[in-house]
Amino acid sequence: MAKPPKFQAPTGMHDILPEDQPYFQKFYSTASSVAGFYGFDKIETPIVEEAELFSKGVGMSTDIVEKQMYVLRTRGGDYLALRPEFTAGVSRAYIEHGMFNLPQPLKFYSFGPLFRSERPQAGRYRQFHQFNLEVFGEQNSVMDAQLIQIFYNILTELKFKNLVIEINSIGDSQCRPYYKKLLSNYLKSRESSLCADCRRRIKQNPLRVLDCKEEKCQPVKAQAPQIVDHLCEPCKSHFKEVLEFLDELDLPYRLNPYLVRGLDYYTKTVFEIFEETEEGEKMGSLVGGGRYDGLIRLLGGKDTPACGAAAGVERIVETLKARSKKESSLQQQGRGVFLAQLGGFAKRKSLKLFEELRKAKIPVAESFGRDSLKTQLRIADKYQVPYTLIIGQKEALEDSVLIRDMKTGKQDSVKLDRAVAEIKKRLK
Ligand code: HAM
């Protein structure tokens, strides 16, 4: 067996190789154009932030902060963290740049890598990417529904099928403390039937017990009081309105009373979007988000309602990849040309033609390093292009080019200055 190389990417982190790039680009161009349509502007924040921003924003007792954050001490003594999510950083930017003075709401999208030191498994990495949306200064329930709609649209535009939206409301600072007490009293009475993690959670964060996947905890969960029965009037009507909007938009949602999400800043609406297999089995969540009306104030800003969500890009790309067996962007388009050349003079003419094809936005592949026509035609076959353009010695001298139909093998000679127009016509 071959020895593994001395250096490998860190555990749970991956190279995004050239063959994967078209999928990431496809995702990004779809997501950013849908978000742009709904009035979102791009914002970029640093990959590191003060660690305290996350412990305060996301929550000290969350898995993300407690177990998964990569932290570092700088030479100057600052305590920083690689960002495990976008929301806290984008909120910090909103406060720092005084954006509450601008006309509200403000809508931002971001795309980039995040870091969580989780146990790597399928669809779960230590460095991964999110496409993230945040809206500041909008308390109306229509925004919660619209966020769901946007991510649903992105996924359906990428041809995802069998999508399911799970939704819940986890109340706010008015009604949640009472529910938490009720829940922790109930959990205490069933403590011996809970897993070790959940026994610890009763005190710190009883809501997280509802989200436990351990077999042992399921019967306890099933009889637990449900938060929707204990929402205060404003939270109840907000939730009702969100559901009415989803009905209006014909979005396929399901109420999940156990959905609490693993980040502490949420208030009212929380949701996740999944894909289900034909057999109705739920795959890992593709999108997660909700409302977080208390976060901006918690981080030192003015009272500002806010909501947002993020899609896990690797999980989406994996599905796109599995669906498409084709390997390059050119093959995916299946409508480009290959440019073959023979000899030094022909190569010079080809370089010029290549530029003209690029300007005309015709996808074109080449292998200028090869001189054998046979090899170049073999490469053209691999790209599955319908036409190959050939410039040999004779064509170079005559300022012409051969257009070879790759299916029939038929070749026509056209003048070099007519080549782009002729190819455009044939590719239509
Ligand atoms: P989250 O649920 O932690 O929410 O992450 C959102 C999505 O990122 C998940 O649904 C999943 O697709 C993906 N994801 C999370 N962890 C990993 C991982 N280790 N490997 C691969 N993919 C992963 C948030 O991060 C919130 N900040 C979303 C939000 C924005 N809420 C309001 N605004």
Side-chain angles (χ1 to χ4, degrees):
M1 212 163 52
K3 246 172 84 182
K6 180 164 160 49
F7 293 111
Q8 296 180 13
T11 308
M13 302 192 181
H14 298 280
D15 302 309
I16 305 176
L17 297 171
E19 64 256 34
D20 294 334
Q21 296 291 344
Y23 300 102
F24 276 81
Q25 273 158 18
K26 169 89 182 141
F27 169 79
Y28 181 70
S29 67
T30 306
S32 54
S33 88
V34 173
F37 183 83
Y38 285 88
F40 284 74
D41 292 316
K42 185 169 183 173
I43 189 166
E44 289 184 86
T45 57
I47 285 174
V48 288
E49 296 274 357
E50 266 184 72
E52 197 192 342
L53 176 72
F54 300 112
S55 46
K56 208 168 173 139
V58 176
M60 269 316 263
S61 68
T62 58
D63 282 354
I64 293 182
V65 170
E66 210 177 44
K67 302 182 192 158
Q68 300 169 352
M69 217 155 63
Y70 288 93
V71 287
L72 58 117
R73 179 79 68 187
T74 66
R75 281 167 213 251
D78 291 334
Y79 193 45
L80 302 179
L82 297 188
R83 62 183 181 197
E85 59 114 46
F86 275 111
T87 312
V90 179
S91 299
R92 190 241 343 114
Y94 173 86
I95 300 167
E96 185 175 336
H97 300 285
M99 294 195 219
F100 42 79
N101 293 319
L102 301 171
Q104 311 285 305
L106 292 178
K107 304 179 186 179
F108 299 116
Y109 74 87
S110 309
F111 175 79
L114 303 151
F115 303 86
R116 293 184 193 175
S117 177
E118 301 200 64
R119 201 159 56 82
Q121 46 185 287
R124 193 172 290 282
Y125 307 111
R126 292 185 173 173
Q127 178 177 343
F128 61 98
H129 292 73
Q130 280 184 352
F131 183 80
N132 183 81
L133 300 182
E134 308 294 357
V135 180
F136 299 104
E138 182 56 84
Q139 62 178 3
N140 199 291
S141 51
V142 72
M143 201 62 242
D144 311 39
Q146 218 176 18
L147 273 171
I148 297 173
Q149 162 103 80
I150 294 170
F151 278 103
Y152 190 81
N153 286 353
I154 292 172
L155 291 171
T156 45
E157 224 166 272
L158 291 169
K159 307 208 166 39
F160 275 75
K161 300 214 168 68
N162 305 326
L163 291 171
V164 174
I165 299 154
E166 290 198 343
I167 189 165
N168 191 20
S169 172
I170 56 168
D172 64 5
S173 57
Q174 288 304 303
C175 48
R176 202 179 324 148
Y178 169 74
Y179 171 72
K180 257 184 161 168
K181 209 173 216 153
L182 201 71
L183 180 65
S184 71
N185 284 344
Y186 164 77
L187 294 173
K188 264 186 225 146
S189 74
R190 306 283 301 267
E191 196 165 347
S192 57
S193 316
L194 291 170
C195 72
D197 264 350
C198 283
R199 283 204 293 272
R200 199 169 44 84
R201 284 176 185 141
I202 295 179
K203 242 207 197 129
Q204 290 175 342
N205 204 343
L207 253 59
R208 291 306 309 275
V209 175
L210 297 179
D211 182 45
C212 180
K213 306 283 178 298
E214 286 287 322
E215 197 64 40
K216 191 171 180 198
C217 302
Q218 302 314 307
V220 184
K221 270 170 61 173
Q223 285 171 27
Q226 296 192 352
I227 187 151
V228 280
D229 298 326
H230 301 278
L231 294 176
C232 59
E233 229 13 84
C235 285
K236 203 191 275 175
S237 61
H238 185 95
F239 192 40
K240 191 167 155 271
E241 286 162 19
V242 176
L243 300 183
E244 281 165 3
F245 283 125
L246 296 183
D247 284 330
E248 192 64 38
L249 292 165
D250 265 338
L251 291 170
Y253 69 86
R254 208 151 59 191
L255 297 178
N256 178 354
Y258 305 123
L259 182 66
V260 289
R261 311 262 306 125
L263 305 97
D264 277 357
Y265 45 62
Y266 290 113
T267 52
K268 299 182 176 161
T269 320
V270 287
F271 66 89
E272 291 186 354
I273 306 181
F274 303 86
E275 195 178 33
E276 269 186 352
T277 61
E278 296 293 328
E279 294 75 39
E281 193 195 337
K282 216 163 77 176
M283 320 276 275
S285 77
L286 298 172
V287 177
R291 180 162 279 283
Y292 54 97
D293 290 342
L295 182 64
I296 297 292
R297 178 138 186 199
L298 183 74
L299 297 178
K302 287 193 177 153
D303 232 342
T304 310
C307 53
V313 182
E314 277 74 5
R315 293 182 187 181
I316 292 171
V317 161
E318 272 153 32
T319 304
L320 294 182
K321 243 178 105 174
R323 222 191 288 140
S324 160
K325 295 213 169 66
K326 295 167 187 158
E327 275 152 12
S328 77
S329 57
L330 197 61
Q331 282 168 312
Q332 266 186 348
Q333 293 156 353
R335 57 182 172 82
V337 295
F338 188 86
L339 183 51
Q341 39 66 43
L342 290 162
F345 189 36
K347 200 172 294 199
R348 286 211 296 281
K349 297 257 166 175
S350 302
L351 284 176
K352 227 171 138 216
L353 180 56
F354 187 86
E355 284 309 305
E356 282 167 27
L357 290 163
R358 185 183 64 79
K359 279 186 204 140
K361 297 198 168 46
I362 297 172
V364 49
E366 46 70 31
S367 185
F368 288 148
R370 312 284 166 118
D371 284 327
S372 138
L373 184 62
K374 214 167 129 197
T375 312
Q376 292 182 69
L377 287 178
R378 219 177 23 238
I379 299 170
D381 259 345
K382 217 177 90 198
Y383 280 116
Q384 295 176 359
V385 286
Y387 298 102
T388 294
L389 304 180
I390 305 168
I391 305 185
Q393 301 283 10
K394 179 166 168 279
E395 286 76 25
L397 285 172
E398 287 174 356
D399 265 336
S400 67
V401 55
L402 291 175
I403 301 182
R404 181 187 175 92
D405 185 317
M406 296 298 281
K407 250 200 201 127
T408 63
K410 188 169 172 287
Q411 299 190 159
D412 300 313
S413 173
V414 296
K415 279 296 188 200
L416 203 49
D417 57 5
R418 289 279 315 134
V420 170
E422 180 61 28
I423 276 296
K424 250 191 175 160
K425 200 169 86 194
R426 293 195 186 198
L427 287 178
K428 252 191 194 155

